[in-house]
């Protein structure tokens, strides 16, 4: 494909990607804008519902005031009837004349067994004596409810046959005289309640019964019910009236002026909401502030507690309760510090010997003082308390367990490195002293006894060939002995430096391994040859048995591990035997090194694989070494997908097991290699 075609395609692809990205950004902007407008509309509707609720509350209060005025008059009338067995027309007329004109009460009725027995006054167009309530089911039902209750009952508006306009009726039973009823013309009630004035709301005043059937509501149109109105209940006795309302024409589909400056409208709405809900805002602000304090304190990773000046608990956060888990049920406001501390000690909250358990409030809470607490589960808590200007005390409880553990590990590592440096300097100084000593000695070789003796023989007048030969042999033996010492010391130095370099490569991540399927024999045979000699020199019996054919490993590093394990076994075994057994189990090859030495204490078994660690790091230790051998061996084993484990009992010897993966194409083979017992008596 020509280059210009490829470049054109790449350019088209880039342009297409840019176009797609632009469309995504535009689409995301449209979605965000739509969501923002929806949120603004919801906010506007919320404010509109609040203002509608407030206006409905005012209307309801006006209507309730009108109804309660009439209920007061009804109560006075029932008191009059209860105080006299028979109320005369004159007394009824006097009662009626004393009613304020604003009450709009048109008539007083006394009914018995569903029939009007008295009516005052009895003008045309209203109810008359002998009217049977059964002709109007709603009124008859209201009378039944009045008879079953001693409280007033409100009903209406109702259309009664023979009456020109709807009536509102207020009933109250007077046993055994019957039921007293106040009659209020609906038009007068509407006029006095100012329901007919022009409002910005569509209103509906009704009852539950009027919602479920086709009766005329108290006021308004029934279609308001289907438009999700604001609904408020009236509070007068046994009245089932409800007032429903919504903005004129229904709830708006768009925020007014949404094309214009929405921000200004939102600010105006916020001001209006603030004016109407100022009192509510104060209480909510206080609650919100407390919630923020609690949420903020719970978000802390540390324990927070607050006491008053006398030591009584004010508040805590959840982390404080988690720290003192033994007394969570007692951490409640009002509980005294001393009681909590005493109960925590009783329940075992603190570790044995912790001094904070004996402190009382006056001594424990010290401004700015830092106290360390040790809990039952090993956690370390740092407690700090500060007194505020109002006298209350705020405290922090910080879990410093990890910090303490890190500090202890750092101190242990520092001690181990110091001991390592001390050991290393000792290990390096000894062979260097030997090397330098022999070097200085051979710088002045003519001063050596063998050299002087040979020089005397050479300068003699009569040369004796045999004596000259004997002198030369003595000088060669002296040179050979010195070279052996130099070789031993140099090898020891090389081994030390090799360990340090290997560990440095492991720590820096630059160690390279050549892991491959290889024969177990290629690993074991060179090790057996060298170790047999070392065991024989120390008078130990060495045994080796191989029951595996192939392993997945780096042969060089695997031999280094075995040299280390077997060398340590011989080093720390004074008498008895050292054995190497290689066997295959569950897809792994196990190199088992066993000795009959002094063993390793249980508390040291986990630490012997740590770098720079030695069970005995003193200058007077029995065995030499840097303490890196086992750490390096463990890292080598892990890098090859294996591991080293140890089991040991003091005085009974130790067993180290190197486990490595078996090769995919291993050939099963078994062979026994056992050195002849080497016993040096």
């Amino acid at each position: 494909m020509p280059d210009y075609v490829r470049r054109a395609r790449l350019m088209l692809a880039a342009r297409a990607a840019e176009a797609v990205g632009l469309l995504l950004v535009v689409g995301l902007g449209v979605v965000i804008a739509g969501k923002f407008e929806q949120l603004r509309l919801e906010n506007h509707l919320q404010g509109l519902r609040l203002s509608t609720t407030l206006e409905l509350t005012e209307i309801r209060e006006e209507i309730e005031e009108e109804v309660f005025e009439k209920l007061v008059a009804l109560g006075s009338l029932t008191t009059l009837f209860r105080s006299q067995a028979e109320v005369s027309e004159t007394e009824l007329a006097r009662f009626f004349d004393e009613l304020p004109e604003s009450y709009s009460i048109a008539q007083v009725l006394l009914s018995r067994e569903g029939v009007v027995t008295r009516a005052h006054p009895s003008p045309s167009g209203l109810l008359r004596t002998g009217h049977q309530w059964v002709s109007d089911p709603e009124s008859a039902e209201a009378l039944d409810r009045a008879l079953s209750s001693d409280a007033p009952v409100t009903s209406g508006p109702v259309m009664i046959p023979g009456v020109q306009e709807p009536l509102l009726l207020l009933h109250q039973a007077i046993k055994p005289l019957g039921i007293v009823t106040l009659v209020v013309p609906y038009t007068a009630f509407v006029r006095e309640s100012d329901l007919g004035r022009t409002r910005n709301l569509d209103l509906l005043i009704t009852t539950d019964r009027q919602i479920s059937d086709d009766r005329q509501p108290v006021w308004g149109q029934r279609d308001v019910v289907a438009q999700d109105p604001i609904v408020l209940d009236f509070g007068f006795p046994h009245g089932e009236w409800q007032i429903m309302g919504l903005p004129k024409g229904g709830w708006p589909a768009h925020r007014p002026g949404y094309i214009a400056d929405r921000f200004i409208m939102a600010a105006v709405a916020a001001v209006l909401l603030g004016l109407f809900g100022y009192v509510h805002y104060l209480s909510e602000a206080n609650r919100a502030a407390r919630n923020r304090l609690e949420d903020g304190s719970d978000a802390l990773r540390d324990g927070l507690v607050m006491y008053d000046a006398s030591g009584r608990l004010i508040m805590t956060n959840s982390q404080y309760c988690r720290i003192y888990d033994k007394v969570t049920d007692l951490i409640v406001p009002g509980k005294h510090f001393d009681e909590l501390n005493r109960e925590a000690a009783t329940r075992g909250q603190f570790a044995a010997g912790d001094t904070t358990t004996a402190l009382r409030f006056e001594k424990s809470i010290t401004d700015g003082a830092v106290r360390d607490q040790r809990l039952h589960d090993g956690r370390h808590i740092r407690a700090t308390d500060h007194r505020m200007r109002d006298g209350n005390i705020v405290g922090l409880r910080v879990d410093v367990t990890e910090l303490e553990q890190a500090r202890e590990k750092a101190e242990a590592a520092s001690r181990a490195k110091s001991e390592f440096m001390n050991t290393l300097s000792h290990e390096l100084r000894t062979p260097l002293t030997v090397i330098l000593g022999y070097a200085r000695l051979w710088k002045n070789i003519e001063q050596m006894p063998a050299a002087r003796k040979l020089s005397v023989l050479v300068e003699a007048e009569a040369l004796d060939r045999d004596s000259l030969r004997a002198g030369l042999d003595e000088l060669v033996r002296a040179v050979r002995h010195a070279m052996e010492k130099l070789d031993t010391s140099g090898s020891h130095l090389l081994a030390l430096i090799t360990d340090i370099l290997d560990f440095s490569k492991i720590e820096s991540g630059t160690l390279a391994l050549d892991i491959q399927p290889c024969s177990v024999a290629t690993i074991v045979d060179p090790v057996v040859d060298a170790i047999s000699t070392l065991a024989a020199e120390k008078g130990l019996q060495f045994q080796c048995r191989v029951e595996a054919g192939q392993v997945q490993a780096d042969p060089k590093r695997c031999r280094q591990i075995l040299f280390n394990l077997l060398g340590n076994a011989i080093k720390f075994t004074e008498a008895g035997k050292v054995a190497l057994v290689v066997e295959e189990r569950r897809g792994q090859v196990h190199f088992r090194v066993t000795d009959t030495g002094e063993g390793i204490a249980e508390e040291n078994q986990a630490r012997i694989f740590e770098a720079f660690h030695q069970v005995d790091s003193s200058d007077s230790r029995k065995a030499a070494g840097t303490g890196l051998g086992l750490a390096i061996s463990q890292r080598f084993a892990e890098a090859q997908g294996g591991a080293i484990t140890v089991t040991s009992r003091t005085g009974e010897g130790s067993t180290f097991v190197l486990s490595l993966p078996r090769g995919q194409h291993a050939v099963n083979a078994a062979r026994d290699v056992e050195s002849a017992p080497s016993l040096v008596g």
Side-chain angles (χ1 to χ4, degrees):
M1 180 185 299
D3 290 341
Y4 69 90
V5 175
R6 184 169 58 254
R7 287 194 297 270
R9 288 186 176 181
L10 291 174
M11 183 178 296
L12 288 175
R15 294 287 174 84
E18 291 176 359
V20 171
L22 181 61
L23 289 175
L24 288 176
V25 172
V26 171
L28 182 61
V30 171
V31 171
I32 293 175
K35 185 65 176 178
F36 183 70
E37 180 59 33
Q38 180 183 357
L39 293 175
R40 295 285 298 275
L41 176 59
E42 290 176 359
N43 185 52
H44 171 69
L45 289 176
Q46 183 179 3
L48 197 58
R49 293 183 75 90
L50 177 59
S51 61
T52 302
T53 302
L54 293 173
E55 190 166 353
L56 285 178
T57 302
E58 293 178 359
I59 298 172
R60 183 184 66 177
E61 290 176 353
E62 293 174 0
I63 296 173
E64 285 180 345
E65 183 178 357
E66 292 294 325
V67 174
F68 275 112
E69 287 177 351
K70 295 164 182 58
L71 290 175
V72 171
L74 179 61
S76 300
L77 184 59
T78 56
T79 302
L80 178 62
F81 273 99
R82 285 173 178 161
S83 64
Q84 301 182 25
E86 185 69 28
V87 179
S88 65
E89 288 295 324
T90 302
E91 290 173 323
L92 279 177
R94 185 184 308 115
F95 171 80
F96 201 85
D97 292 339
E98 291 176 353
L99 290 175
E101 185 177 352
S102 61
Y103 281 17
S104 303
I105 298 175
Q107 196 175 25
V108 176
L109 304 177
L110 181 62
S111 304
R112 191 168 186 176
E113 296 180 357
V115 179
V116 178
T117 58
R118 295 184 67 177
H120 182 87
S122 265
S124 60
L126 293 178
L127 299 173
R128 296 181 180 274
T129 302
H131 173 74
Q132 296 184 354
W133 292 108
V134 73
S135 61
D136 178 54
E138 183 179 356
S139 299
E141 183 184 353
L143 290 176
D144 292 339
R145 285 189 286 125
L147 285 173
S148 62
S149 173
D150 293 334
V153 174
T154 306
S155 65
V158 296
M159 288 299 299
I160 297 177
V163 180
Q164 299 175 356
E165 64 175 320
L167 300 177
L168 292 177
L169 304 175
L170 288 81
H171 312 282
Q172 185 164 6
I174 307 175
K175 300 175 182 179
L177 297 178
I179 298 175
V180 175
T181 303
L182 294 183
V183 180
V184 180
Y186 179 66
T187 54
F189 176 77
V190 170
R191 183 180 64 254
E192 294 297 333
S193 301
D194 205 12
L195 284 173
R197 73 176 181 179
T198 303
R199 301 179 185 273
N200 293 324
L201 300 177
D202 290 333
L203 295 177
L204 174 63
I205 301 176
T206 183
T207 67
D208 292 339
R209 293 180 178 80
Q210 291 165 345
I211 293 176
S212 60
D213 56 32
D214 294 332
R215 296 178 184 176
Q216 181 66 26
V218 177
W219 177 263
Q221 300 297 323
R222 299 182 64 84
D223 59 356
V224 172
V225 177
Q227 302 182 50
D228 188 25
I230 303 296
V231 181
L232 299 177
D233 293 328
F234 285 89
F236 40 81
H238 286 267
E240 299 177 351
W241 288 15
Q242 290 182 328
I243 181 169
M244 305 180 189
L246 66 159
K248 186 73 71 175
W251 301 108
H254 298 284
R255 183 176 57 88
Y258 71 99
I259 299 179
D261 191 357
R262 297 185 179 91
F263 179 77
I264 296 177
M265 295 300 297
V268 172
V271 170
L272 292 176
L273 288 175
L275 292 176
F276 284 119
Y278 180 69
V279 175
H280 178 69
Y281 164 77
L282 292 178
S283 61
E284 286 297 312
N286 182 44
R287 186 173 64 86
R290 186 173 183 84
N291 289 339
R292 283 194 296 270
L293 176 61
E294 293 177 354
D295 293 342
S297 63
D298 285 339
L300 294 174
R301 296 183 59 187
D302 305 325
L304 177 68
V305 64
M306 186 177 295
Y307 290 95
D308 63 15
S310 63
R312 298 204 171 272
L313 184 64
I314 298 176
M315 64 159 291
T316 65
N317 65 349
S318 56
Q319 181 63 22
Y320 185 89
C321 297
R322 284 193 288 270
I323 290 175
Y324 300 104
D325 52 352
K326 294 283 188 180
V327 289
T328 303
D329 57 320
L330 299 179
I331 302 177
V332 293
K335 191 69 70 173
H336 198 276
F337 172 87
D338 292 342
E339 183 180 354
L340 273 175
N341 202 33
R342 183 171 56 253
E343 189 63 25
T346 302
R347 297 186 182 184
Q349 179 69 69
F350 303 103
D354 188 86
T355 57
T356 59
T357 59
L359 295 177
R360 296 183 63 83
F361 176 76
E362 294 79 4
K363 294 183 178 180
S364 178
I365 307 298
T366 306
D367 190 21
V370 177
R371 306 185 311 280
D372 287 333
Q373 299 176 342
R374 292 190 300 112
L375 303 187
H376 66 99
D377 54 2
R379 288 177 294 167
H380 290 255
I381 304 299
R382 185 152 295 165
T384 308
D385 299 289
H386 296 275
R387 191 175 297 276
M388 297 183 293
R389 285 180 294 180
D390 58 0
N392 293 339
I393 295 167
V394 62
L396 282 177
R397 302 296 183 264
V398 182
D399 190 339
V400 294
T401 305
E402 295 182 359
L403 182 62
E404 287 294 320
Q405 292 174 348
R407 182 181 61 81
E408 292 173 358
K409 289 182 179 179
E411 291 176 353
S414 178
R415 288 194 301 270
K417 288 187 178 182
S418 298
E419 293 171 356
F420 167 74
M421 294 305 298
N422 181 55
T423 302
L424 181 62
S425 62
H426 178 78
E427 293 291 334
L428 292 174
R429 184 169 57 248
T430 300
L432 280 175
T433 300
V434 173
I435 293 172
L436 292 175
Y438 276 101
R440 294 189 184 100
L441 179 64
W442 286 100
K443 282 175 62 177
N444 301 303
I445 188 173
E446 68 278 1
Q447 301 298 325
M448 293 181 62
R452 289 199 303 269
K453 182 177 179 181
L454 182 60
S455 177
V456 170
L457 292 174
V458 170
E459 293 176 358
E461 295 182 359
L463 292 176
D464 185 348
R465 190 177 186 89
D466 292 336
S467 299
L468 189 62
R469 170 69 66 180
L472 181 60
D473 290 342
E474 184 178 353
L475 180 61
V476 170
R477 284 195 299 273
V479 171
R480 182 182 295 112
H481 175 73
M483 292 302 104
E484 288 175 354
K485 292 293 184 180
L486 290 175
D487 181 68
T488 301
S489 299
S491 299
H492 183 53
L493 279 176
L494 180 62
L496 293 176
I497 295 172
T498 300
D499 283 349
I500 295 172
L501 291 177
D502 285 342
F503 186 77
S504 177
K505 290 179 181 179
I506 293 172
E507 289 293 296
S508 64
T510 59
L511 177 68
L513 297 179
D514 182 16
I515 300 176
Q516 58 183 330
C518 58
S519 171
V520 172
T522 61
I523 298 173
V524 172
D525 288 349
V527 177
V528 169
D529 292 342
I531 292 300
S532 298
T533 303
L534 292 178
E537 290 177 354
K538 197 170 182 181
L540 301 176
Q541 182 182 5
F542 176 66
Q543 297 175 345
C544 177
R545 187 175 76 252
V546 178
E547 297 179 354
Q550 193 163 352
V551 67
Q552 192 84 6
D554 182 333
K556 177 182 177 182
R557 297 304 183 183
C558 194
R559 282 193 292 269
Q560 187 173 346
I561 296 173
L562 291 180
F563 270 121
N564 200 330
L565 297 180
L566 288 167
N568 284 344
I570 293 174
K571 184 190 302 183
F572 295 105
T573 302
E574 298 300 328
K577 68 177 182 178
V578 174
L580 170 63
V581 177
V582 186
E583 54 189 356
E584 181 183 338
R585 291 183 182 177
R586 298 179 181 178
Q588 285 192 324
V589 177
H590 298 282
F591 298 81
R592 188 183 307 276
V593 176
T594 306
D595 65 63
T596 58
E598 60 191 39
I600 304 171
E602 183 176 357
E603 62 271 16
N604 290 322
Q605 291 179 18
R607 300 191 58 197
I608 58 176
F609 295 102
E610 296 177 5
F612 314 121
H613 177 76
Q614 289 181 310
V615 175
D616 182 8
S617 58
S618 63
D619 291 339
S620 60
R621 64 191 185 281
K622 297 179 181 179
T626 60
L628 291 176
L630 288 177
I632 293 173
S633 299
Q634 181 71 285
R635 305 289 178 87
F636 282 164
E638 292 173 352
Q640 298 177 78
I644 299 177
T645 58
V646 60
T647 56
S648 180
R649 296 184 64 179
T650 305
E652 297 182 8
S654 305
T655 298
F656 287 81
V657 180
L658 166 65
S659 301
L660 293 174
R662 181 177 180 271
Q664 296 180 353
H665 307 289
V667 178
N668 290 327
R671 63 190 185 88
D672 290 322
V673 179
E674 182 172 347
S675 68
S678 296
L679 300 176
V680 179

